[in-house]
Each structure stands twice: as C-alpha cells, then as structure tokens.
Coordinates of all heavy atoms in Angstrom, one line a residue:
V21 N -165.7 -144.0 -182.1 CA -164.8 -144.5 -181.0 C -164.2 -145.8 -181.6 O -164.9 -146.6 -182.2 CB -165.6 -144.8 -179.7 CG1 -164.9 -145.6 -178.8 CG2 -166.1 -143.5 -179.1
F22 N -162.9 -146.0 -181.3 CA -162.2 -147.2 -181.8 C -161.7 -148.1 -180.6 O -161.2 -147.5 -179.7 CB -161.1 -146.9 -182.7 CG -160.3 -148.0 -183.1 CD1 -160.5 -148.7 -184.3 CD2 -159.2 -148.6 -182.4 CE1 -159.8 -149.8 -184.7 CE2 -158.6 -149.6 -182.7 CZ -158.8 -150.3 -184.0
T23 N -162.0 -149.3 -180.6 CA -161.4 -150.1 -179.5 C -160.6 -151.1 -180.2 O -160.8 -151.7 -181.3 CB -162.5 -150.9 -178.8 OG1 -163.1 -152.0 -179.6 CG2 -163.6 -150.0 -178.3
G24 N -159.5 -151.5 -179.5 CA -158.7 -152.6 -179.9 C -159.3 -153.9 -179.5 O -160.3 -154.0 -179.0
S25 N -158.6 -155.1 -179.7 CA -159.1 -156.3 -179.5 C -159.1 -156.6 -177.9 O -158.4 -156.0 -177.2 CB -158.2 -157.5 -180.0 OG -158.1 -157.3 -181.3
R26 N -160.1 -157.3 -177.4 CA -160.2 -157.7 -176.1 C -160.5 -156.7 -175.1 O -160.0 -156.8 -173.9 CB -159.1 -158.6 -175.6 CG -159.0 -159.9 -176.3 CD -157.9 -160.8 -175.8 NE -157.8 -162.0 -176.6 CZ -157.1 -162.3 -177.6 NH1 -156.4 -161.3 -178.1 NH2 -157.1 -163.5 -178.2
V27 N -161.1 -155.6 -175.6 CA -161.6 -154.5 -174.6 C -162.8 -154.9 -173.9 O -163.7 -155.5 -174.4 CB -161.8 -153.2 -175.4 CG1 -162.4 -152.2 -174.6 CG2 -160.5 -152.7 -176.0
T28 N -162.7 -154.7 -172.5 CA -164.0 -154.8 -171.6 C -164.4 -153.6 -171.1 O -163.6 -152.8 -170.4 CB -163.6 -155.8 -170.5 OG1 -163.1 -157.0 -171.0 CG2 -164.8 -156.1 -169.6
I29 N -165.6 -153.2 -171.4 CA -166.2 -151.9 -170.8 C -167.4 -152.4 -170.0 O -168.3 -152.9 -170.4 CB -166.6 -151.1 -172.1 CG1 -165.3 -150.6 -172.9 CG2 -167.3 -149.8 -171.5 CD1 -165.8 -149.8 -174.1
C30 N -167.2 -152.2 -168.6 CA -168.2 -152.7 -167.8 C -169.3 -151.8 -167.8 O -169.5 -150.7 -168.4 CB -167.6 -152.7 -166.3 SG -166.2 -153.9 -166.3
G31 N -170.5 -152.2 -167.0 CA -171.7 -151.6 -167.0 C -171.7 -150.1 -166.8 O -171.0 -149.5 -165.9
D32 N -172.7 -149.4 -167.5 CA -173.0 -148.0 -167.3 C -171.9 -147.0 -167.6 O -171.9 -145.9 -167.1 CB -173.7 -147.8 -166.0 CG -175.0 -148.5 -165.8 OD1 -175.9 -148.5 -166.8 OD2 -175.2 -149.1 -164.7
V33 N -170.9 -147.4 -168.5 CA -169.8 -146.5 -168.7 C -170.3 -145.7 -169.9 O -171.0 -146.0 -170.9 CB -168.5 -147.3 -169.2 CG1 -167.5 -146.6 -169.9 CG2 -168.0 -148.1 -168.0
K34 N -169.8 -144.4 -170.0 CA -170.0 -143.5 -171.2 C -168.7 -143.2 -171.8 O -167.8 -142.7 -171.1 CB -170.8 -142.3 -170.7 CG -172.1 -142.6 -170.2 CD -172.9 -141.3 -169.9 CE -174.3 -141.8 -169.5 NZ -174.8 -141.5 -168.2
V35 N -168.5 -143.4 -173.1 CA -167.3 -143.0 -173.9 C -167.7 -142.0 -174.9 O -168.6 -142.3 -175.8 CB -166.6 -144.3 -174.5 CG1 -165.4 -143.8 -175.3 CG2 -166.4 -145.3 -173.4
E36 N -167.3 -140.7 -174.7 CA -167.6 -139.7 -175.7 C -166.8 -139.9 -177.1 O -165.8 -140.7 -177.2 CB -167.5 -138.4 -175.1 CG -168.4 -138.1 -174.0 CD -168.3 -136.7 -173.5 OE1 -167.6 -135.8 -174.1 OE2 -169.1 -136.4 -172.5
R37 N -167.2 -139.1 -178.0 CA -166.9 -139.3 -179.4 C -165.3 -139.2 -179.6 O -164.6 -138.4 -178.8 CB -167.5 -138.3 -180.3 CG -167.3 -136.8 -180.1 CD -168.1 -136.0 -181.0 NE -167.8 -134.6 -180.7 CZ -168.2 -133.9 -179.8 NH1 -169.1 -134.3 -178.9 NH2 -167.9 -132.6 -179.8
N38 N -164.8 -139.7 -180.6 CA -163.4 -139.4 -181.1 C -162.4 -140.1 -180.1 O -161.3 -139.6 -180.1 CB -163.2 -138.1 -181.5 CG -164.0 -137.5 -182.5 OD1 -164.5 -138.3 -183.3 ND2 -164.3 -136.3 -182.4
S39 N -162.8 -141.1 -179.3 CA -161.8 -141.6 -178.3 C -161.2 -142.9 -178.9 O -161.9 -143.6 -179.7 CB -162.5 -141.9 -177.1 OG -162.7 -140.6 -176.5
F40 N -160.0 -143.3 -178.4 CA -159.3 -144.5 -178.9 C -159.0 -145.3 -177.6 O -158.4 -144.9 -176.7 CB -158.0 -144.1 -179.6 CG -157.3 -145.2 -180.0 CD1 -157.3 -145.9 -181.2 CD2 -156.3 -145.9 -179.2 CE1 -156.6 -147.0 -181.6 CE2 -155.5 -147.0 -179.4 CZ -155.7 -147.5 -180.7
I41 N -159.5 -146.6 -177.7 CA -159.3 -147.4 -176.5 C -158.3 -148.6 -177.0 O -158.8 -149.4 -177.8 CB -160.6 -148.0 -176.0 CG1 -161.4 -146.8 -175.5 CG2 -160.4 -149.0 -174.9 CD1 -162.9 -147.2 -175.2
G42 N -157.1 -148.7 -176.5 CA -156.2 -149.7 -176.9 C -156.6 -151.1 -176.5 O -157.5 -151.3 -175.8
A43 N -155.8 -152.1 -177.1 CA -156.1 -153.5 -176.9 C -156.1 -154.0 -175.4 O -155.2 -153.4 -174.6 CB -155.2 -154.5 -177.7
N44 N -156.9 -154.8 -174.9 CA -156.9 -155.3 -173.6 C -157.1 -154.3 -172.5 O -156.5 -154.5 -171.4 CB -155.5 -156.0 -173.3 CG -155.4 -157.4 -174.0 OD1 -156.3 -158.2 -174.2 ND2 -154.4 -157.6 -174.8
V45 N -157.8 -153.3 -172.8 CA -158.2 -152.2 -171.8 C -159.4 -152.7 -171.0 O -160.3 -153.3 -171.5 CB -158.4 -150.9 -172.6 CG1 -159.1 -149.9 -171.5 CG2 -157.2 -150.3 -173.0
C46 N -159.4 -152.5 -169.8 CA -160.6 -152.8 -168.9 C -161.1 -151.2 -168.3 O -160.3 -150.6 -167.7 CB -160.4 -153.7 -167.8 SG -161.8 -153.9 -166.7
I47 N -162.3 -151.0 -168.5 CA -162.8 -149.7 -168.0 C -164.0 -150.2 -167.0 O -165.0 -150.9 -167.3 CB -163.5 -148.9 -169.1 CG1 -162.5 -148.5 -170.1 CG2 -164.1 -147.6 -168.4 CD1 -163.0 -147.6 -171.3
L48 N -163.8 -149.8 -165.7 CA -164.7 -150.3 -164.6 C -166.0 -149.6 -164.6 O -166.2 -148.6 -165.4 CB -164.0 -150.1 -163.3 CG -162.7 -150.9 -163.0 CD1 -162.2 -150.8 -161.7 CD2 -163.0 -152.4 -163.4
P49 N -167.0 -150.1 -163.9 CA -168.3 -149.6 -164.1 C -168.5 -148.2 -163.7 O -167.9 -147.5 -162.9 CB -169.2 -150.4 -163.1 CG -168.4 -151.6 -162.9 CD -166.9 -151.3 -163.1
K50 N -169.4 -147.5 -164.6 CA -169.9 -146.1 -164.3 C -168.8 -145.0 -164.5 O -169.1 -143.9 -164.2 CB -170.6 -146.0 -162.9 CG -171.7 -146.9 -162.7 CD -172.3 -146.7 -161.2 CE -173.6 -147.5 -161.2 NZ -174.2 -147.4 -160.0
V51 N -167.8 -145.4 -165.2 CA -166.8 -144.5 -165.4 C -167.2 -143.7 -166.7 O -167.9 -144.1 -167.6 CB -165.4 -145.1 -165.8 CG1 -164.4 -144.2 -166.4 CG2 -164.8 -145.8 -164.5
Q52 N -166.9 -142.3 -166.8 CA -167.0 -141.5 -167.9 C -165.8 -141.2 -168.6 O -164.9 -140.5 -167.9 CB -167.9 -140.3 -167.5 CG -169.3 -140.7 -166.9 CD -170.1 -139.4 -166.7 OE1 -169.8 -138.3 -167.3 NE2 -171.1 -139.6 -166.0
I53 N -165.8 -141.4 -169.9 CA -164.5 -141.1 -170.7 C -164.9 -139.9 -171.5 O -166.0 -140.1 -172.4 CB -164.1 -142.2 -171.6 CG1 -163.9 -143.5 -170.7 CG2 -162.9 -141.9 -172.4 CD1 -162.8 -143.4 -169.7
K54 N -164.4 -138.7 -171.4 CA -164.8 -137.6 -172.3 C -164.3 -137.7 -173.7 O -163.5 -138.5 -174.0 CB -164.4 -136.2 -171.6 CG -165.0 -136.0 -170.3 CD -166.5 -135.9 -170.4 CE -167.3 -135.6 -169.1 NZ -168.8 -135.5 -169.2
K55 N -164.6 -136.8 -174.4 CA -164.1 -136.8 -176.0 C -162.6 -136.6 -176.1 O -162.0 -136.1 -175.3 CB -164.9 -135.8 -176.8 CG -164.5 -134.4 -176.4 CD -165.4 -133.3 -177.1 CE -164.9 -131.9 -177.0 NZ -165.7 -131.0 -177.7
N56 N -162.2 -137.2 -177.2 CA -160.9 -137.2 -177.7 C -159.8 -137.8 -176.7 O -158.7 -137.1 -176.5 CB -160.5 -135.7 -178.0 CG -161.3 -135.0 -179.0 OD1 -161.8 -135.7 -180.0 ND2 -161.8 -133.9 -178.8
V57 N -160.2 -138.9 -176.1 CA -159.3 -139.5 -175.0 C -158.5 -140.7 -175.8 O -159.1 -141.4 -176.6 CB -160.1 -139.9 -173.8 CG1 -159.2 -141.0 -172.9 CG2 -160.5 -138.7 -173.1
V58 N -157.2 -140.9 -175.5 CA -156.5 -142.0 -175.8 C -156.1 -142.9 -174.7 O -155.5 -142.4 -173.8 CB -155.2 -141.7 -176.7 CG1 -154.5 -142.8 -177.0 CG2 -155.5 -140.8 -177.9
I59 N -156.5 -144.1 -174.7 CA -156.2 -145.1 -173.6 C -155.2 -146.1 -174.0 O -155.6 -146.9 -175.0 CB -157.4 -145.7 -172.9 CG1 -158.5 -144.6 -172.5 CG2 -157.1 -146.6 -171.8 CD1 -159.7 -145.1 -172.3
A60 N -154.1 -146.2 -173.5 CA -153.0 -147.1 -173.9 C -153.4 -148.5 -173.7 O -154.1 -148.8 -172.7 CB -151.6 -146.8 -173.3
A61 N -152.9 -149.4 -174.7 CA -153.1 -150.9 -174.4 C -152.9 -151.4 -173.1 O -151.9 -151.0 -172.4 CB -152.4 -151.6 -175.5
G62 N -153.7 -152.2 -172.5 CA -153.5 -153.0 -171.2 C -153.8 -152.1 -170.0 O -153.7 -152.6 -168.9
S63 N -154.3 -150.9 -170.2 CA -154.6 -150.1 -169.0 C -156.0 -150.6 -168.4 O -156.9 -151.2 -168.9 CB -154.9 -148.7 -169.5 OG -153.8 -148.2 -170.0
V64 N -156.1 -150.1 -167.1 CA -157.3 -150.4 -166.3 C -157.8 -149.1 -165.9 O -156.9 -148.4 -165.0 CB -157.0 -151.4 -165.1 CG1 -158.3 -151.5 -164.3 CG2 -156.5 -152.7 -165.5
V65 N -159.0 -148.7 -166.3 CA -159.4 -147.3 -165.9 C -160.5 -147.5 -164.8 O -161.5 -148.1 -164.9 CB -160.2 -146.7 -167.2 CG1 -160.7 -145.2 -166.9 CG2 -159.1 -146.7 -168.4
I66 N -160.1 -146.7 -163.7 CA -161.0 -146.7 -162.6 C -161.7 -145.5 -162.2 O -162.5 -145.4 -161.3 CB -160.2 -147.3 -161.3 CG1 -159.0 -146.3 -160.9 CG2 -159.6 -148.7 -161.6 CD1 -158.4 -146.6 -159.7
N67 N -161.2 -144.4 -162.8 CA -161.7 -143.0 -162.6 C -162.2 -142.4 -164.0 O -161.7 -142.8 -165.0 CB -160.7 -142.1 -162.0 CG -160.3 -142.6 -160.6 OD1 -161.1 -142.9 -159.8 ND2 -158.9 -142.7 -160.4
N68 N -163.0 -141.3 -163.8 CA -163.4 -140.5 -164.9 C -162.2 -140.0 -165.6 O -161.3 -139.5 -164.9 CB -164.5 -139.4 -164.6 CG -165.7 -140.1 -164.0 OD1 -166.0 -141.2 -164.3 ND2 -166.5 -139.2 -163.2

C-alpha cells in the first residue's frame, strides 16, 4: 500500500493490498478499502 503525504487514516480502518492513497486523503473510522483501490488526492472516504 502506498500513501501520499498528509494522509489521515482514522481508527479501525482496513486497507487491503496493492492500494494507492493520494496526498491529503482522509479515511473515516471503520471503513474497509478492498484490494487494488486508487483514491485520488484530497478525497474524504466515508464508505467501504
């Protein structure tokens, strides 16, 4: 898994293999990110 700068991953989040998380992304608590996901910079992830 690769994260850009200033990523915030809140409590109890699961990020599966081969995922890319862009700079300044925020992932809210208990979200699940499955494998091979790309999250664009500046996004706020509120759902699985």
Side-chain angles (χ1 to χ4, degrees):
V21 170
F22 177 91
T23 72
S25 298
R26 293 183 179 93
V27 166
T28 300
I29 300 178
C30 297
D32 299 315
V33 168
K34 292 185 176 121
V35 181
E36 291 186 4
R37 69 185 182 277
N38 305 325
S39 292
F40 177 91
I41 303 170
N44 292 310
V45 167
C46 180
I47 302 175
L48 296 185
K50 299 183 180 180
V51 168
Q52 294 188 16
I53 308 295
K54 297 298 182 177
K55 66 182 180 177
N56 305 319
V57 167
V58 174
I59 304 173
S63 297
V64 177
V65 182
I66 64 172
N67 295 312
N68 295 340

